[in-house]
Amino acid sequence: MASLSTESTPRERLDRAISILCRVRMYWRGMAAMIVVGISLALALALTTKRVWRSEATILYRETIQTGRDPQSSAARAARLGPKLKDTLIARGTLAGVIEEIGLYPEKTARSMVEAVEEMRNNVGFRAQSSDTYVISFTHDDPHVAQRVVSRLTEILIEDYRRASVGAATMTRDFLRKELAEASAKVEAASRALATFLARNPQFQWGLNDSPYAPVPQPLGPPGAPAPAAARVAPAPPARPVDPRLAALERQLARVEALLGAARSPGAAPGRPLPPSVVEAQRSRDAAAAALASAEAALAEKLTTVTPVHPDAIAAKRRVEAAKGQLAAAEGALRLVRAGLTEVPRDEARALTPSRRAALEAERSALLRQIAGLRARGGGGAAADGGGQRPAPARAASAASGDGRGAAQGPEEDPEERVIELETEWHRLRLDLERAREYLKTVQANERAANLSADAAENKSETELDILDAAYLPSRPDRGRGRVFFAGAAVTFFFALGVAGARVLLNDTLYDGGDIHALGGAALLAEMPELPARPPLRERAVVPTYGVEPAGPPGHGAAPADAASPGEPPGAHARGAAPPYAPADPEDAAPPDLAREDLPPDDLDLDGADVRPESSWSAPGASLACVGAGPLAYAGGAAFDEPEVELIGADVDPEGGGVFELLRGAPAPALAALRVLRHRLDQRRGGEPLAVAVVSPCRAEGKTALATRLAMTLAEAERARVLLVEGHLARPRVAALLGLRLPAYAGFSEQLRRRMAGEARPLGVIAVSPSLSVLAEPSLEATYPEALHSVHFEAALRTLRRYYDYVVIDGPPVLGSGDANVIEDACDGILLVARASLTRASSLTRAADQLGERRILGVVLNDVAPRPVARKRIALEDLEHRR
C-alpha cells in the first residue's frame, strides 16, 4: 500500500518515499517483458522507416530608414512580424502553388489537393531564432527536393512581404494626404472666423494677451495730451474716425467715477501708489480674498473648541476683521487702476462731504448726457458702435439720458454680460485656430513620414527581409533509423517504468510498518522479520501420565494418594490401571521402561503446579518428568470432587530440544520483536490472567507460527504459566507445527464434545515444558469443529484462565466466517496478524471492522522482508509449517 503519512518529519517522509519507489523492483519481470517487446517494436519500426532529410534557410528582418512613424521598437515589430510571416508561409494558396510547381506528393495530389497541403504543412517548419531572424525548414525523403522547396518558400515569403509593405505604405500616404487637406481647410476656416470677429470688434487686437476691456492708464491732462509710455499700445486700425471730443468726455467720466470709488474705498490714502497694472491689482485682490478665507476658517476651527469670549477666539476675530479691511483696500485699488490712475490724488482723495459728493454726482450726470448727445448726433448708437457693440460708458450714458430714441430701441443688454460674451467668443476663436494649427502640424509630420515610408517601400530601402543563410543541401538525415530506434527504446523504458510505478501506487498490499500507520486504524505492536525456511520438527508421540488419583482438597474427605478405590486393591492405579484419559489401544500406552515404579519420588509433582526444570525436561536419557503428575488445581466448593484442569501427557524429546527448537533457530531481530510483543502484553495484563487470541484477516498469514512462538516467549525462563490452545477447529495446525502426535482423547474438540454429552471431566492438557502446556487437536481436522460455537467453549476458556497466567489461542481467519467473533467474546484481547507482501490493506480494514475496536490490542506485521517481494498464497501454508 503506497501512502505517505503527513504526521512525520521531512526526513521520515523522504525515507518513506524512497521505500515506496524501491517497490518498483518487485515488478522487474513485467518491466523487462515490456522493455523487450518495446525495443523489438522500435527496432522493427526503425528498419521500415524511410530516411528524412531537412533543409533550412534563415531570413533577416531589418530597418534601413527610421521614419519615426511607428511608435513601437524594431524588436517589438519583429516579434509582431513573426506570426504574420508564419501565417503567410503555411497559407493554403502558398503551399498549393509550391506543390504544383515542384510536383510534390503526386499520390495525394491525385486524390485531393487538400490532403497534399495538409501533408506539406506537417513537414514545413517556421520558428523565430532571435528577435529579428527567422528559420524556414522543410523535410522530405529527397535532400535535393527539400533544398529546392525551402528556397522557393523563402522567395515567396520575401516577395509577399515586400508587396504587402508597399501596399500598406501607399494606403497610409493617401489617407494622410486627405487628412492634410482637411486640416488645412479647418485652419483656413478658423482664421476666417477670427478675422471676421476682429473686423466687427476693432477693440480686440491680434497678438495681445489681455482683453481690450481691461483699462489702460490714461492721462488726466487736457484732451489731446500724449499718453504715458506705459499706456501706449499699438492700436488696431480703426474702422471709422474717432471723435476727439467724445473721447475726452469719456476720459473725464472715467475720472469722476474713479474719484467716487476711491472716496468710498477704506484704503485710499492720499499719494499712495497703486499697482502698476490691472493684473497686479487683481492678484493683490485674490491674495486678500484667500487670506480672508483662511482667517475665517481658523476662526471656525477655534469656535469648535473654545467659546467666543476666549482670548484665542477674540484674536481670530481680529484677524478676520483685518483681512476684510485688506480685501476692501485691494478691491478699491483695483477699481482705481481700472479707471487709469497710477496713484490716489492728494487733493481729491479726502473724505467727501455731502456737497462735494453731490457736485461729483451732478458732474457725472452732465457728462453722461453730453456723451449721449454726441453719439445721437453721430448717427445713432448702433451705427456709431459698429453693429451695436459700444463701450460700457456710452451704453450707460444712453441709459441715463432716457431720450426717446433709447426707449424706441427697447431694453438695453447688461454691460457685464456683453463683455463676458465678447471675451468668451474671442478666446474660443483663438483656441479653435490654435487647435487647427496644431492638428495641421501633426498631420503634416505624419504625411511627410508616410511619403518617406512609401518612397522607401517602393525603392525597397525602408524595411526588408534578406536571406541571411540560403537553403543548404542536407548531408545527414534528420530522422534516421538509429534515431527512431533510440527514441522508441527511450519511450519504452519510461513507459515500463511508469506502468511499474502505477502498479506500486495502486497496490493495496501491506509491505512494512509505514503502510500500517497509513491506515490510521489499530496500532502496530511489532514487526516480525522474515524467518529462514527450516525443516519441520520431528514427529514425537506424547507420553501419557499414569499415577495415583490426587488427594482431594482439605475438607472433602478424599482418600490419600496411596489409598485404593472401593472394590480395588490399594495401588491399583499405580500398578497398571488406566487413568480416565488412558488410551484403550495398547500401542498408545507408555513403554514398559517408563513405569511408575521406575521414577524417583522426587520427580513427582502431585499438586500439578510444575514439573522438572526446563534444563532436565528433554535431556537425553532422562526419565519421564510428567509421569505420575497429578491435576493442576482443584476447583473451590463442595460441588467439585475432581480437578478442572490436569496434565494428561507430556512431550519428551531425548534426542533434541523439543518444541523450543522453533525459537532456537530464530534470528536475533525475530526474538527481539517477540520480546517487545511480550512486554506489551505484560503491560496490558497488569498481574491478572490474560487470554489472547491470535487471528488474521485471511489464511496463510503466519498466525499459527506467531502464536506458537509468542507462547514460548511468554513462558521463557518460567516467567509465566502459559497455555497454547487450538482455536481454529476447522483447520487445526498447532500439533502438526510442534511435531506432536496426540492421542484422540487429548483433542480439544473431543473433550468439549464429551462435556456437551454430560461427562464432567477435567480439561486435559499436554505439558511441553515446565511452564508451557498445549491444548490442541490430534490431526489436521478436528473431531467436532462445531464445538467452538457451544457454551462449553467459553466455559473452558474461563476455566483455563483461572489456572494460567496467559492463555494464547490460535484463532481462525476473520473474513469468511464468524468463528473469530466467537473467540473475541471468550478472550480478553486480540492480536491481528498481517503478513507483509501478502495481506491487503482492505482485508485488514474489513477484519478490524468485523471484530470492532473493543478488544483489538494491535497489529503484528509478520514476515517483513528486507526488500519488498511479491508473494502468492499458493503453498504458503506448507512454508508456514516449515518455519
Side-chain angles (χ1 to χ4, degrees):
M1 177 182 176
S3 176
L4 292 176
S5 176
T6 57
E7 299 179 358
S8 58
T9 62
R11 178 67 181 180
E12 293 175 349
R13 289 196 293 268
L14 178 61
D15 295 340
R16 178 67 177 157
I18 293 175
S19 66
I20 292 175
L21 292 177
C22 291
R23 297 178 186 177
V24 177
R25 293 180 295 182
M26 295 188 302
Y27 308 103
W28 67 271
R29 293 184 179 85
M31 291 177 59
M34 285 188 289
I35 289 175
V36 169
V37 173
I39 289 178
S40 301
L41 294 177
L43 181 60
L45 182 62
L47 293 176
T48 57
T49 300
K50 294 182 179 180
R51 293 184 176 181
V52 177
W53 307 82
R54 178 190 294 270
S55 180
E56 294 182 348
T58 305
I59 58 177
L60 173 67
Y61 168 80
R62 61 180 180 177
E63 287 189 7
T64 56
I65 298 178
Q66 298 291 337
T67 59
R69 179 168 51 89
D70 195 346
Q72 294 184 351
S73 62
S74 59
R77 291 189 61 189
R80 185 183 59 185
L81 182 63
K84 294 182 179 179
L85 294 178
K86 183 177 181 180
D87 295 339
T88 304
L89 182 66
I90 63 176
R92 181 175 299 175
T94 303
L95 299 182
V98 175
I99 291 173
E100 294 177 354
E101 180 180 351
I102 301 179
L104 299 174
Y105 315 113
E107 297 179 357
K108 294 187 177 181
T109 304
R111 292 195 301 267
S112 174
M113 179 59 70
V114 177
E115 295 183 7
V117 169
E118 292 297 329
E119 180 66 22
M120 185 175 181
R121 186 173 294 171
N122 295 331
N123 296 326
V124 173
F126 181 87
R127 70 179 188 275
Q129 190 172 6
S130 62
S131 61
D132 53 359
T133 57
Y134 306 94
V135 178
I136 302 173
S137 62
F138 180 71
T139 55
H140 198 265
D141 53 5
D142 188 353
H144 297 278
V145 174
Q147 181 187 16
R148 183 181 175 187
V149 171
V150 171
S151 300
R152 182 56 183 154
L153 290 176
T154 304
E155 294 174 0
I156 293 175
L157 188 63
I158 293 177
E159 291 176 1
D160 290 346
Y161 173 75
R162 289 176 178 173
R163 188 183 308 110
S165 299
V166 172
T170 303
M171 292 177 60
T172 303
R173 180 183 59 186
D174 296 341
F175 173 75
L176 290 178
R177 284 179 178 176
K178 294 181 181 179
E179 289 290 326
L180 179 61
E182 294 179 0
S184 300
K186 289 181 180 179
V187 171
E188 183 178 357
S191 300
R192 182 177 297 276
L194 183 59
T196 303
F197 179 82
L198 292 176
R200 293 178 180 176
N201 302 278
Q203 64 272 25
F204 291 90
Q205 299 178 4
W206 175 249
L208 295 180
N209 295 326
D210 297 333
S211 171
Y213 288 101
V216 296
Q218 296 182 1
L220 299 179
R232 296 172 185 170
V233 294
R240 59 180 179 80
V242 179
D243 188 359
R245 185 180 177 186
L246 180 61
L249 290 176
E250 289 178 351
R251 286 194 295 271
Q252 189 175 0
L253 177 62
R255 178 177 177 275
V256 171
E257 289 182 348
L259 290 175
L260 290 173
R264 290 190 298 266
S265 300
R272 184 176 62 85
L274 298 175
S277 64
V278 177
V279 176
E280 293 295 334
Q282 183 67 35
R283 189 175 301 168
S284 300
R285 188 263 174 196
D286 294 340
L292 176 60
S294 177
E296 289 177 348
L299 176 60
E301 183 179 0
K302 288 292 182 181
L303 292 177
T304 58
T305 56
V306 298
T307 59
V309 296
H310 194 272
D312 293 343
I314 295 174
K317 291 179 180 179
R318 291 176 180 175
R319 285 193 291 271
V320 170
E321 295 298 333
K324 289 182 179 180
Q326 292 177 1
L327 177 61
E331 290 178 348
L334 179 61
R335 286 194 296 270
L336 293 178
V337 172
R338 286 180 176 175
L341 301 179
T342 58
E343 64 178 8
V344 180
R346 297 180 180 274
D347 54 344
E348 299 291 347
R350 62 183 181 273
L352 294 178
T353 59
S355 58
R356 175 62 178 170
R357 181 180 298 278
L360 290 176
E361 292 288 345
E363 184 179 359
R364 179 175 177 275
S365 300
L367 290 174
L368 289 175
R369 286 194 297 270
Q370 292 177 9
I371 290 172
L374 289 177
R375 290 187 179 277
R377 287 195 300 270
D385 294 336
Q389 297 181 6
R390 293 177 296 170
R395 291 196 303 269
S398 299
S401 61
D403 55 359
R405 185 183 301 273
Q409 292 179 352
E412 291 266 343
E413 186 180 0
D414 188 8
E416 293 183 0
E417 293 293 334
R418 183 58 181 170
V419 171
I420 292 174
E421 290 179 1
L422 291 177
E423 287 284 351
T424 304
E425 183 70 15
W426 163 252
H427 289 292
R428 184 184 64 78
L429 293 175
R430 288 184 57 187
L431 184 60
D432 290 345
L433 181 58
E434 291 175 0
R435 289 177 177 174
R437 288 180 176 178
E438 290 294 332
Y439 180 68
L440 178 62
K441 292 179 181 179
T442 303
V443 174
Q444 287 176 348
N446 293 337
E447 195 268 341
R448 285 194 297 268
N451 290 334
L452 185 61
S453 299
D455 295 339
E458 292 175 356
N459 298 329
K460 302 178 183 179
S461 58
E462 181 196 11
T463 60
E464 61 180 7
L465 290 177
D466 290 336
I467 298 177
L468 186 62
D469 292 330
Y472 59 86
L473 181 65
S475 59
R476 183 175 298 176
D478 182 63
R479 291 199 303 267
R481 297 176 179 176
R483 181 173 298 182
V484 172
F485 173 74
F486 286 116
V491 170
T492 300
F493 175 76
F494 286 109
F495 176 76
L497 186 63
V499 170
R503 293 182 65 182
V504 170
L505 294 177
L506 297 177
N507 192 3
D508 195 27
T509 307
L510 302 173
Y511 291 97
D512 53 22
D515 296 336
I516 302 295
H517 292 300
L519 291 178
L524 178 65
L525 298 180
E527 291 187 29
M528 189 70 180
E530 185 180 14
L531 300 179
R534 54 166 298 161
L537 296 180
R538 181 176 54 85
E539 188 177 9
R540 303 173 308 280
V542 174
V543 178
T545 59
Y546 302 99
V548 184
E549 287 293 326
H556 283 225
D562 293 335
S565 300
E568 294 182 357
H573 286 287
R575 306 213 186 281
Y581 288 102
D585 191 356
E587 296 181 357
D588 293 338
D593 56 348
L594 295 179
R596 171 72 172 78
E597 294 81 2
D598 298 335
L599 295 177
D602 295 338
D603 292 340
L604 297 179
D605 190 3
L606 299 181
D607 61 355
D610 275 322
V611 290
R612 284 190 176 185
E614 185 180 353
S615 58
S616 61
W617 181 261
S618 58
S623 58
L624 182 61
C626 276
V627 173
L632 293 176
Y634 291 95
F640 294 92
D641 293 334
E642 292 188 1
E644 294 181 84
V645 180
E646 65 178 358
L647 294 177
I648 62 175
D651 176 29
V652 179
D653 188 8
E655 299 180 4
V659 296
F660 285 90
E661 288 291 336
L662 295 176
L663 278 184
R664 290 172 185 170
L671 296 177
L674 290 172
R675 286 165 182 164
V676 169
L677 186 57
R678 180 184 67 189
H679 174 69
R680 299 286 179 86
L681 295 179
D682 286 341
Q683 290 180 335
R684 176 62 182 266
R685 184 170 71 94
E688 298 293 333
L690 182 66
V692 180
V694 181
V695 298
S696 62
C698 302
R699 294 172 50 189
E701 295 185 355
K703 60 177 180 56
T704 302
L706 180 65
T708 303
R709 291 187 175 92
L710 177 60
M712 295 178 184
T713 306
L714 293 173
E716 187 179 14
E718 302 183 14
R719 56 183 294 126
R721 296 165 57 87
V722 182
L723 175 65
L724 178 61
V725 180
E726 177 68 76
H728 190 191
L729 299 182
R731 295 175 60 88
R733 291 295 184 272
V734 173
L737 180 64
L738 296 177
L740 300 178
R741 188 171 64 246
L742 302 178
Y745 62 85
F748 187 26
S749 62
E750 177 64 22
Q751 297 184 44
L752 292 179
R753 186 184 67 83
R754 291 177 180 178
R755 288 198 168 199
M756 293 171 59
E759 297 183 12
R761 291 186 178 181
L763 292 173
V765 298
I766 305 299
V768 295
S769 79
S771 57
L772 177 62
S773 302
V774 176
L775 181 55
E777 290 294 320
S779 63
L780 298 181
E781 293 183 2
T783 305
Y784 189 69
E786 291 80 5
L788 178 68
H789 301 278
S790 65
V791 294
H792 295 279
F793 177 78
E794 297 184 9
L797 288 184
R798 288 195 298 268
T799 301
L800 295 173
R801 191 162 38 218
R802 288 196 293 267
Y803 298 107
Y804 290 93
D805 298 325
Y806 285 101
V807 178
V808 181
I809 307 170
D810 177 28
V814 178
L815 302 179
S817 67
D819 295 348
N821 296 91
V822 175
I823 294 180
E824 176 196 8
D825 294 335
C827 65
D828 300 321
I830 292 180
L831 292 179
L832 198 56
V833 179
R835 190 164 195 170
S837 304
L838 182 66
T839 305
R840 295 187 175 275
S842 57
S843 301
L844 184 63
T845 303
R846 287 189 290 115
D849 293 341
Q850 180 175 337
L851 295 175
E853 300 179 355
R854 182 169 54 111
R855 293 182 179 176
I856 295 180
L857 302 179
V859 178
V860 179
L861 189 61
N862 194 21
D863 278 356
V864 179
R867 242 179 11 180
V869 295
R871 288 175 176 154
K872 296 183 180 180
R873 295 187 183 273
I874 301 176
L876 282 179
E877 293 184 0
D878 298 336
L879 180 61
E880 179 182 347
H881 294 323
R882 289 199 300 271
R883 292 180 179 175

